Amino acid sequence: MILLKYFEEFIGEGTVNKVRVNKDRAKSLIAESERKRNYLNRMLEKLNIENDNANDYVIYCYDIIMNLVRAKLFLDGYHISGQGAHEAEVSYLRVLRFPEEEVRFLNQMRYFRNGILYYGTSLDKEYAEKVVAFTGEMYKKLIKMR
């Protein structure tokens, strides 16, 4: 996995643009993240994390976190699109002063999610359990930032 660039580099490349604050879009993303988090909790109550559903949990958790990151970007007046957009979104956590370890773990999730969707990557129960725990902690931190 290639090292994650800094957010300022994405601005310089034009992947990130400064725009008007969009509170409505942020509100929508927060609501979607909350909906998915509630559903995740219901899934966890009824279904154990297993090797055969690990990918599903990882994708779902990534979406929960990234919806909150995107909401914060809209609240801070940024729009991200094009090549490297997902990396730029993850990199924004550095601007928000998240520990580098958490930035790297989310970037790893991004990388593996991409692998699942486009290359047939299969993840295991152990990794999915780490992702679920990480998502719980990140959700708490990010939801406070709205």
Side-chain angles (χ1 to χ4, degrees):
M1 183 169 26
I2 299 172
L3 290 177
L4 186 64
K5 295 185 273 189
Y6 285 88
F7 191 71
E8 296 76 18
E9 293 177 77
F10 291 105
I11 292 172
E13 295 170 355
T15 304
V16 176
N17 295 295
K18 195 73 173 146
V19 295
R20 184 177 306 163
V21 170
N22 190 337
K23 290 182 183 179
D24 290 335
R25 183 68 176 117
K27 185 178 177 180
S28 171
L29 287 165
I30 291 166
E32 181 64 9
S33 182
E34 289 174 352
R35 185 193 69 74
K36 285 186 176 234
R37 180 175 171 263
N38 291 336
Y39 186 73
L40 173 68
N41 289 335
R42 288 195 309 271
M43 285 178 15
L44 289 167
E45 288 174 8
K46 295 179 182 187
L47 299 172
N48 293 324
I49 300 172
E50 303 292 342
N51 286 333
D52 67 343
N53 64 12
N55 285 6
D56 300 324
Y57 279 101
V58 171
I59 290 170
Y60 220 72
C61 287
Y62 179 81
D63 289 345
I64 290 166
I65 294 170
M66 292 312 298
N67 280 336
L68 293 177
V69 172
R70 291 175 185 127
K72 182 63 176 153
L73 283 157
F74 279 113
L75 289 172
D76 291 344
Y78 290 107
H79 176 70
I80 299 177
S81 63
Q83 183 76 20
H86 290 262
E87 292 172 68
E89 292 167 340
V90 172
S91 181
Y92 192 61
L93 291 179
R94 289 178 175 144
V95 174
L96 299 175
R97 302 196 185 284
F98 277 77
E100 188 64 23
E101 180 179 312
E102 292 175 350
V103 174
R104 287 183 183 160
F105 191 81
L106 185 56
N107 192 46
Q108 181 185 68
M109 284 176 62
R110 177 198 60 76
Y111 180 82
F112 286 150
R113 175 195 163 273
N114 192 54
I116 292 167
L117 295 177
Y118 301 108
Y119 304 108
T121 300
S122 290
L123 302 172
D124 62 20
K125 172 184 175 178
E126 183 180 341
Y127 184 73
E129 289 171 340
K130 289 178 186 176
V131 165
V132 168
F134 177 77
T135 300
E137 292 304 311
M138 290 296 288
Y139 185 88
K140 291 176 199 172
K141 291 178 181 182
L142 287 164
I143 203 71
K144 291 178 184 177
M145 295 185 164
R146 55 176 161 167

